[in-house]
Amino acid sequence: MSSITFKNLTKCFKSTIALDRFNLEVKSGELIALLGPSGCGKTTTLQLLAGFTSPDRGRIIVNEQVISSPEKSLPPEKRNMSLIFQSYAIWPHLNVFDNVAFGLKLRKIKKKELQERVFQALCLVHLEKLAHRYPAELSGGQQQRVALARAVVVEPQILLLDEPLSNLDAGLRETMRNEILSLHQRLKLTTIYVTHDQTEALTLADKVVVMAAGQIQQVDTPENIYERPATELVANFIGRCNLLPAKVRSRNSVQVDEIIFQVPDIAENISLGDSVSLCIRPHAIIIQPLPNFQPEKVNHLRTRVQSSKYFGEFREYQLKIEDNNTIVTARSHPDINQKPGTLVDIFIPIASCRVLRSQFP
């Protein structure tokens, strides 16, 4: 296993800054997800780590050894890393066994040891009974398992995955997420996982790195990334979110139009009177029967249903606050069905309110 340190890593392509002063510490055995929209710099980070390109500034350090810098970079084949591509990149003319054995043959591993290691790798991904099949005879999920087996059979220090599940349908993606997580838990390889899919990042990673425009927006556990986003961009990118323009009234309250919301203690870098955004996740809004409405209690509001959508696991509503133009998105159990035009009361727990510095003051 290996630790990885990225120090002030910067990479430009002509006039475009792909990566801008990127700093990150990855502990040995961690699975880190690089998450963000297309063009945010996550794949560039992976290519720099793999050695396919060199940084313009900064360094990459693995186990206290500098492997990438503007002055000198270790060749990819000497980095002891395995990379799994979005396209799998398995050889169509080789069967499963020979695809997995390919890297070992290049290393001139003796036949008996090669056979044992290939069989062990195939068992890890449940393909031992398909060793003699060719890629054309495999499903997409099985082909991805071949790529996984080929990556781990060479016993790398670091495993790199670049959008590995994007070519699979929804059902197969969930199955393969579980396979990758199980494999990581067994092998404890230091792993960097690039994705634009928030579900993959939240369910797989020990820590999530949210990126935008070549910079890190937030590094944290999946729970904190979702429940305590550091910026408006993170809040918007991770799950659904209500971002309501507000003004700071006190250290524990903000005003949205004429409505005062009680919130947890506001961060010290935000001052009274500042323009901020009030972040509220739809699942945190509690829809209550009308007789329970208590306007004198904090964060209790009367709303009217504008629209309702059924998603199977939940219903999602657009709710317009009465005597106000503010609209919020809320979710409820699917058995609760509030029709458009219906008056409903909502309660927003103080702990579910997150105050963020406004991107547009």
Side-chain angles (χ1 to χ4, degrees):
M1 293 187 291
S2 300
S3 61
I4 309 168
T5 301
F6 299 88
K7 284 192 173 182
N8 292 318
L9 208 61
T10 299
K11 181 66 181 178
C12 300
F13 296 101
K14 295 183 179 179
S15 60
T16 301
I17 301 175
L19 209 60
D20 186 13
R21 293 162 295 174
F22 183 91
N23 289 280
L24 180 67
E25 295 278 349
V26 181
K27 295 178 182 177
S28 182
E30 276 190 318
L31 194 161
I32 301 295
L34 303 183
L35 176 67
S38 297
C40 71
K42 54 189 187 295
T43 295
T44 298
T45 305
L46 206 67
Q47 291 173 340
L48 287 164
L49 180 56
F52 298 151
T53 187
S54 297
D56 297 321
R57 291 189 295 276
R59 295 176 293 165
I60 302 175
I61 302 167
V62 173
N63 290 341
E64 301 182 356
Q65 177 190 4
V66 177
I67 65 167
S68 285
S69 72
E71 296 76 30
K72 185 178 179 181
S73 287
L74 199 66
E77 65 273 14
K78 293 186 177 180
R79 297 191 177 207
N80 198 13
M81 300 179 188
S82 286
L83 174 58
I84 299 177
F85 296 95
Q86 177 180 344
S87 61
Y88 317 145
I90 57 178
W91 301 105
H93 64 287
L94 298 179
N95 64 22
V96 169
F97 182 95
D98 288 333
N99 260 289
V100 176
F102 186 80
L104 296 178
K105 290 178 179 178
L106 290 178
R107 290 164 173 77
K108 302 188 184 303
I109 301 298
K110 292 182 180 179
K111 184 176 180 179
K112 183 178 179 182
E113 182 185 350
L114 181 147
Q115 290 176 331
E116 289 175 353
R117 285 170 63 173
V118 171
F119 180 74
Q120 289 171 357
L122 290 175
C123 287
L124 276 174
V125 297
H126 314 296
L127 287 179
E128 64 274 16
K129 295 181 180 179
L130 304 180
H132 299 294
R133 288 194 185 180
Y134 285 83
E137 302 172 290
L138 303 176
S139 68
Q142 289 168 336
Q143 290 181 40
Q144 187 59 277
R145 286 189 176 96
V146 174
L148 277 171
R150 186 180 59 187
V152 302
V153 74
V154 296
E155 299 177 352
Q157 289 183 314
I158 296 169
L159 181 62
L160 311 177
L161 300 101
D162 189 6
E163 304 272 10
L165 308 183
S166 59
N167 287 338
L168 303 178
D169 61 38
L172 272 178
R173 279 203 301 271
E174 183 174 359
T175 300
M176 288 308 302
R177 281 202 306 268
N178 294 334
E179 291 285 349
I180 290 170
L181 183 58
S182 176
L183 193 66
H184 175 72
Q185 290 170 341
R186 280 179 281 175
L187 300 179
K188 296 296 182 184
L189 287 174
T190 304
T191 303
I192 307 294
Y193 190 107
V194 164
T195 183
H196 65 273
D197 187 310
Q198 59 186 265
T199 301
E200 289 179 21
L202 295 177
T203 56
L204 286 173
D206 298 308
K207 287 183 181 175
V208 178
V209 180
V210 183
M211 300 178 63
Q215 295 183 328
I216 293 176
Q217 298 289 309
Q218 187 172 354
V219 181
D220 218 324
T221 63
E223 291 85 355
N224 283 338
I225 288 285
Y226 187 83
E227 298 293 346
R228 286 172 282 280
T231 67
E232 287 185 357
L233 187 147
V234 175
N236 260 328
F237 193 78
I238 305 293
R240 297 295 301 277
C241 183
N242 295 288
L243 283 174
L244 308 180
K247 292 279 187 182
V248 178
R249 288 287 301 270
S250 73
R251 302 313 304 175
N252 298 100
S253 67
V254 298
Q255 183 172 342
V256 178
D257 290 330
E258 301 302 319
I259 304 166
I260 304 298
F261 286 87
Q262 297 299 310
V263 299
D265 287 343
I266 294 172
E268 292 182 1
N269 64 342
I270 298 176
S271 303
L272 298 183
D274 279 358
S275 294
V276 294
S277 288
L278 178 61
C279 171
I280 305 166
R281 296 290 186 189
H283 71 82
I285 297 176
I286 300 168
I287 298 176
Q288 300 180 318
L290 279 173
N292 290 346
F293 185 54
Q294 297 174 294
E296 71 280 2
K297 290 204 171 182
V298 298
N299 299 359
H300 281 248
L301 301 167
R302 176 154 290 175
T303 66
R304 189 175 297 274
V305 178
Q306 300 294 294
S307 65
S308 170
K309 294 179 182 178
Y310 177 72
F311 285 86
E313 296 179 355
F314 58 87
R315 289 185 191 272
E316 185 171 283
Y317 301 96
Q318 296 293 306
L319 305 174
K320 181 178 178 295
I321 298 173
E322 284 290 272
D323 303 320
N324 194 287
N325 290 323
T326 301
I327 293 179
V328 296
T329 301
R331 288 178 176 176
S332 74
H333 190 278
D335 290 345
I336 300 172
N337 187 9
Q338 304 287 355
K339 302 294 184 183
T342 304
L343 277 172
V344 296
D345 299 328
I346 62 172
F347 167 59
I348 305 169
I350 293 176
S352 299
C353 296
R354 175 82 172 166
V355 176
L356 304 174
R357 291 193 67 83
S358 180
Q359 186 176 356
F360 305 104

